[in-house]
């Protein structure tokens, strides 16, 4: 018995270390070849009864995942159908589970499921939420979990409704900031092709949060979604950042970002003739010569520009 308790503790510890990847009996045997197979089987049964591990079948192989002591204690205090329903809801994570899917997974009658859900809600163990993808469906998840972005729609949704005004305000703010960084203040001049101080998604995010333009806590990924909209609308272009050693602190690009953004054009009133000329934004203007492989006479940009 004592030996089985040692194996039981070892297996649970290794499951905790494996986290979301889970642990197979083969993995455990490699880590602890001294453990007896019979004792391991007994330990697995004990852990399953205690609710300290969950078992899943992936490609015909059994995978064991650890359950926290707190969660196991909650499940252990439940009886019969309530425990089955609670465990199924817990397995759905922060995605939640629809009552129809809950019924198919537990094979319980609809009336029994409703009774169990009502009891679990009264005990503050689970909560009902709504999904932006399926507004008519009621999903259930553990009380302490925060719904995933796929369920809530992220910061762009309020009460399952897209906040159009909020999205447009932030998108316009991003565009104005990128435009400010894309052109000199002097409307009669332009940056050279060697200019590298174009903003990244990280720097735009920092600007939005530092200025407290948004009361909602946004991530860099959220800002990237807005910048993608500007790219698709043709207002902003995105390109790979080029960082060199003599750049120093002049740029506005973060080292951990690959993409930077540049406004395609500033306000028409502020445009100069040079900005409208292909040479003003040509990416290869630095090595364009009359006798070179890139030359004015064979310039495709000029050919398109003259088609008016």
């Amino acid at each position: 018995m004592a030996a089985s308790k040692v194996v039981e503790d070892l297996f649970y510890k290794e499951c905790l270390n494996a986290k979301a990847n889970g642990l197979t009996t083969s993995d455990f045997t490699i880590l602890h070849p001294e453990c007896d197979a019979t004792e391991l089987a007994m330990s697995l049964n004990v852990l399953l009864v205690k609710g300290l591990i969950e078992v899943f079948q992936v490609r015909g192989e059994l995978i064991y995942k650890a359950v926290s002591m707190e969660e196991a204690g909650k499940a252990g205090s439940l009886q019969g159908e309530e425990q089955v329903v609670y465990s199924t809801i817990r397995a759905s994570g922060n995605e939640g589970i629809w009552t129809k899917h809950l019924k198919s997974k537990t094979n319980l009658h609809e009336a029994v499921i409703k009774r169990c859900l009502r009891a679990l809600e009264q005990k503050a163990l689970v909560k009902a939420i709504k999904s932006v993808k399926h507004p008519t469906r009621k999903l259930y998840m553990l009380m302490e979990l925060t719904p995933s972005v796929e369920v809530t729609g992220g910061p762009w949704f309020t009460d399952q409704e897209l906040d159009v005004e909020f999205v447009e305000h932030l998108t316009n703010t991003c565009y104005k900031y990128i435009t400010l960084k894309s052109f000199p203040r002097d409307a009669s001049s332009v940056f050279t092709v060697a200019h590298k101080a174009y903003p990244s998604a990280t720097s735009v995010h920092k600007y939005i949060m530092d200025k407290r333009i948004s009361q909602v806590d946004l991530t860099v990924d959220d800002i990237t979604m807005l910048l993608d909209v500007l790219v698709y609308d043709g207002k902003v272009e995105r390109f790979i950042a080029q960082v060199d050693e003599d750049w120093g602190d002049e740029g506005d690009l973060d080292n951990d970002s690959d993409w930077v953004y540049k406004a395609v054009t500033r306000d028409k009133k502020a445009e100069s003739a040079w900005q409208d000329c292909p040479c003003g934004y040509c990416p290869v203007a630095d090595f364009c010569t009359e006798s070179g492989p890139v030359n004015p006479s064979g310039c495709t940009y000029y050919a398109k520009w003259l088609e008016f």
Side-chain angles (χ1 to χ4, degrees), residues 244-277:
D244 55 23
E245 295 179 356
D246 59 354
W247 182 9
D249 297 329
E250 297 178 2
D252 191 32
L253 176 65
D254 296 278
N255 292 331
D256 60 347
S257 181
D258 293 331
W259 295 98
V260 292
Y261 298 82
K262 175 184 178 298
V264 173
T265 181
R266 73 166 104 198
D267 193 297
K268 287 290 183 182
K269 295 179 182 179
E271 284 186 358
S272 66
W274 175 246
Q275 285 175 272
D276 195 36
C277 173

Side-chain angles (χ1 to χ4, degrees), residues 154-156 166 170 174 204-206 208-209 213-223 226:
W156 319 127
F166 176 60
L170 278 181
C174 292
V204 176
H205 172 262
K206 185 176 185 301
I208 295 290
M209 302 312 295
I213 296 171
S214 170
Q215 300 302 318
V216 181
D217 189 16
L218 301 173
T219 66
V220 176
D221 289 339
D222 294 331
I223 297 299
L226 298 179

Side-chain angles (χ1 to χ4, degrees), residues 19-62:
K19 297 181 180 179
N21 294 327
L23 184 75
T24 65
T25 52
S26 299
D27 295 332
F28 181 78
T29 302
I30 294 173
L31 294 170
H32 302 280
E34 73 281 1
C35 293
D36 181 71
T38 303
E39 291 180 349
L40 176 58
M42 293 173 59
S43 300
L44 290 177
N45 289 332
V46 173
L47 290 170
L48 287 169
V49 171
K50 290 181 178 179
L52 290 174
I53 60 173
E54 293 177 325
V55 60
F56 303 88
Q57 187 170 20
V58 180
R59 299 187 184 91
E61 188 174 27
L62 296 181

Side-chain angles (χ1 to χ4, degrees), residues 75-110:
S77 65
L78 302 175
Q79 297 291 330
E81 293 93 349
E82 288 184 13
Q83 188 177 47
V84 173
V85 172
Y86 179 82
S87 299
T88 307
I89 294 174
R90 183 180 61 197
S92 68
N94 63 352
E95 297 291 333
I97 185 170
W98 185 26
T99 50
K100 186 175 180 179
H101 295 159
L102 190 60
K103 179 182 177 181
S104 64
K105 285 181 176 293
T106 59
N107 291 319
L108 295 175
H109 191 274
E110 185 176 350

Side-chain angles (χ1 to χ4, degrees), residues 182-184 186-193 195 198 266 270-276 279-281:
S182 298
F183 302 100
D186 182 4
S188 63
S189 62
V190 294
F191 288 133
T192 65
V193 293
H195 180 72
Y198 296 113
R266 73 166 104 198
E271 284 186 358
S272 66
W274 175 246
Q275 285 175 272
D276 195 36
C279 295
Y281 56 84

